[in-house]
Amino acid sequence: MSVLNTAQQKAVAELLRVSPVADELGRRFATAGHELHLVGGSVRDALLGSLGDDLDFCTDAHPEQTLAVVNGWADAVWETGREFGTIGIQKNGLRIEITTFRAEAYDGVTRNPVVSYGTSLLEDLSRRDFTINAMAVSVPEHEFTDPFGGLQDLAARVIRTPSAPQVSFGDDPLRMLRAARFAAKLQFTVDPAVVSAMRDMAEDLDRITAERIRDEFTKLMIGADPIAGLRLLVDTGLADRFLPEISGLKLEIDEHAQHKDVYEHTLIVVQNAMRLEGDEGPDFILRMASLMHDIGKPATKAVGRDGRVSFHHHEVVGARLTKQRMKALKYPKDTISEVVGLVALHLRFYGYGRGEWTDSAVRRYVTDAGPLLSRLHKLTRSDVTTRNRRKAAQLAADYDALEERIARIAAEEDLAKVRPDLDGNAIMELLGVPPGPIVGQAWRFLKELRLDRGPLDRDEAEAELFKWAREQGHIS
C-alpha cells in the first residue's frame, strides 16, 4: 500500500455501515447522552483491510454507565478490565471492548499504570502509543478523526508516536517493546526519533512486569517479520533488559562458519524455520527454539591448540539457560518444556551421516523427541546455514535419509507409542510383587530393552524380565 486515497479512508465507515452491531451500539450510547468511537487498532486494521471480530471502542461514559447501556442488549458481559475503565461484551459473534476516555500514565516508579479518566476523544487519542493507533471513527455518525497524521504514517508505513517519544515512553515504557512488535507484525519502519528514544530509555523497561513483556515479545515472535523486531530490540538495548543472551551471541564466532557470528546465524535459523512452518501458521515454539538454540555457546566457548573454536555441550547449557529465561518471563510450563526440549535435542542429528546410527539410536531419537519430532525435523534442517553448497547438500541428504529410516522403522513398529513389551500388571503377576518401586524399575528396564532391540515376543520379554529380576535380587 503506497497511498491511502479517499476511497480507502471511507473503508472504515463502510465497514461500520454494513455492521449493524456497531451502529446499533452507537445509537444506544447516543440515546444515553454519550459518545462512542471505533478506535485504535480496529481503525488501523480496517484501513489495512484486515478488520477481525475483535472491536475496540472508546467513550465518555464511565464503566457503570457503559454497563447500563449494554445490559440486556449484549449476549455476554465481562468486567475484568473495569478498574482500567474497560467493559467487555459479546454480540452476534463479535468481541467488543468499550473503554472510557483515558488519561493513564506510569508514575515513573511502580510497575502499574495510574488510571484516570479523560474528558475528550482528542485527549484519549493523544495518550495512545502510535499515530497509526490514534485514529477514530464515531458511531453511528461515521466521522473520521485523525489529529496526529496516522493515516499519512499508515501510507508511509512508518511508526511514530503522537507526542514526543520520550513523553509517550515515559507514560508507558512497554510502548518501546510494542514499537518493535508492530515493526515485526506490520513490516513497518520505526521513525529515527522513536528509535533514539528507545535506545536512551531502554532501562525504563525494567518497570514493566514480566507478564506484559512476555505477551508483547510473543506477539513479536509470531509476526510477519520477527527478524526486524529482534534486530530493533538488540540494537536499542531493549533485549538486554529481558533476553540478554541474544545480544551476547554477537560476540561469538560459529565454528562451522567463520564468515558470520552466531547472532547472524541465529537470525537466519529463525527465518529458515519460518519457511518450514507450513499452512498451520506461525509456530511460536519452533521460532523460539530457533532463537534460543545456540545461547549456550558463549558459556561453552573454547579455543583448541590448533586455534579452532568449539562449543562442546552448548545444547545442554543452552537448554538450562532457556528454561531459566522463559521461567523468568512467566511462560507456561508446557511451553517452556517444549522449547527447552528442542534446544536440548537440536544437535542430536549430527554424526548420523557417518553411518554410526543403529536402529536402536533411531528409536531413541524418535522416543526422546516424542511429540516434538516434527518440529525437531524443521529445527535441525533450519540450523544448516553454511554457504558451502556441497556441505549443505550433504547434510540435507543425510537428514532425508534419517527421515526415510524413521518412516521405515515406524512402519514396522509403532514408534510413536514405544512401550515395554510387558505392562505393569504383567510385571506384578510374573514377579509376584505388589505395586511399588520394583515395578517401575522393571518397566524402565523393559523400555530400554525395547528401544535397543525393537519389539520382543512374549516369551523373550518374560525371559528377559526374569533374568533382570534375578540379577537385581528381586527373585531367587
Side-chain angles (χ1 to χ4, degrees), residues 421-422 430 445-446 449 453 455-467 470:
D421 296 285
L422 300 172
L430 290 167
F445 163 74
L446 291 171
L449 194 66
R453 291 168 48 179
L456 304 178
D457 62 32
R458 177 77 182 200
D459 289 342
E460 287 180 299
E462 289 185 5
E464 291 292 345
L465 174 64
F466 285 128
K467 179 181 177 182
R470 284 192 295 270

Side-chain angles (χ1 to χ4, degrees), residues 245 249 252 262 291-301 310-322 343 346:
E245 292 84 1
L249 294 176
E252 302 304 328
V262 180
L291 179 66
M292 305 296 280
H293 79 284
D294 273 349
I295 65 166
K297 283 190 170 180
T300 57
K301 180 181 178 181
S310 65
F311 304 97
H312 294 305
H313 305 301
H314 74 266
E315 75 280 11
V316 177
V317 175
R320 175 172 53 81
L321 293 174
T322 298
V343 173
H346 84 274

Side-chain angles (χ1 to χ4, degrees), residues 25-37:
L25 183 60
R27 285 191 290 271
R28 291 182 68 89
F29 272 84
T31 300
H34 299 296
E35 303 174 39
L36 187 67
H37 305 266

Side-chain angles (χ1 to χ4, degrees), residues 165-177:
Q166 293 80 2
V167 174
S168 181
F169 298 155
D171 283 348
D172 184 354
L174 187 67
R175 289 172 175 171
M176 295 184 286
L177 191 52

Side-chain angles (χ1 to χ4, degrees), residues 413-447:
E413 311 168 21
D414 191 357
L415 287 183
K417 299 178 181 179
V418 172
R419 295 287 187 273
D421 296 285
L422 300 172
D423 62 17
N425 290 328
I427 292 170
M428 288 187 287
E429 181 181 348
L430 290 167
L431 298 185
V433 296
I438 294 177
V439 179
Q441 294 168 15
W443 192 93
R444 286 188 290 273
F445 163 74
L446 291 171
K447 171 73 175 292

Side-chain angles (χ1 to χ4, degrees), residues 380-395:
T380 303
R381 290 185 181 275
S382 299
D383 197 21
V384 179
T385 64
T386 177
R387 293 180 183 176
N388 185 321
R389 293 184 179 181
R390 183 176 178 180
K391 182 177 181 181
Q394 184 60 57
L395 287 169

Side-chain angles (χ1 to χ4, degrees), residues 268-277 286-287 290 378-379 382:
I268 294 172
V269 173
V270 175
Q271 286 181 314
N272 290 345
M274 290 169 59
R275 297 189 188 102
L276 297 177
E277 285 176 332
L286 177 62
R287 294 186 184 190
S290 301
K378 295 174 183 177
L379 176 59
S382 299

